[in-house]
Amino acid sequence: MASKGKQKKLDFVKAIHDDYTFIIAKHPRYGWMHHSEEEYIYFLYITRSQKRFVDNRTANVGEYNILCFQNFFSSYENLMNVIEPVLSEYILDNKKLFQIAMLCEELIEPNEDPLHKKASGE
């Protein structure tokens, strides 16, 4: 449990639009993967909830999550380069697309943001 002075860093964000759930997550890079200097890898999952009959003989209905899309990205920059075209297949509202893209910013650390590196000269 985190103390009040120390907030736990976010490792995923979640957004829901219609029947779709969008989860963008980050995970520390595995030690045996040395092909990149990035500290984290990023994941994108899109699921759709759908109601179906649980049994052929009854009218019981259950809700299932169906995986529509999954992919991992080697850096935050790679994720942001492809997130808009991928999300636009499921979301037609530009405002919602923008909101989800802005949620992704909660996952980055200031020292790993490419724009921060260019501005600070690191």
Side-chain angles (χ1 to χ4, degrees), residues 50-96:
Q50 180 174 345
K51 295 185 181 193
R52 289 190 177 174
F53 289 109
V54 176
D55 189 3
N56 292 340
R57 297 173 294 218
T58 65
N60 294 336
V61 175
E63 190 166 319
Y64 296 92
N65 285 327
I66 299 167
L67 183 63
C68 298
F69 181 87
Q70 70 171 16
N71 203 351
F72 80 94
F73 304 92
S74 61
S75 68
Y76 177 78
E77 187 174 308
N78 289 345
L79 168 69
M80 295 311 290
N81 284 338
V82 299
I83 197 165
E84 191 272 329
V86 170
L87 293 180
S88 64
E89 292 183 27
Y90 304 95
I91 302 173
L92 298 178
D93 181 15
N94 286 335
K95 287 183 181 180
K96 189 67 175 182

Side-chain angles (χ1 to χ4, degrees), residues 102-116:
M102 290 297 102
L103 274 178
C104 294
E105 286 191 358
E106 295 179 20
L107 295 174
I108 61 173
E109 304 286 329
N111 59 352
E112 69 177 316
D113 182 7
L115 296 177
H116 173 76

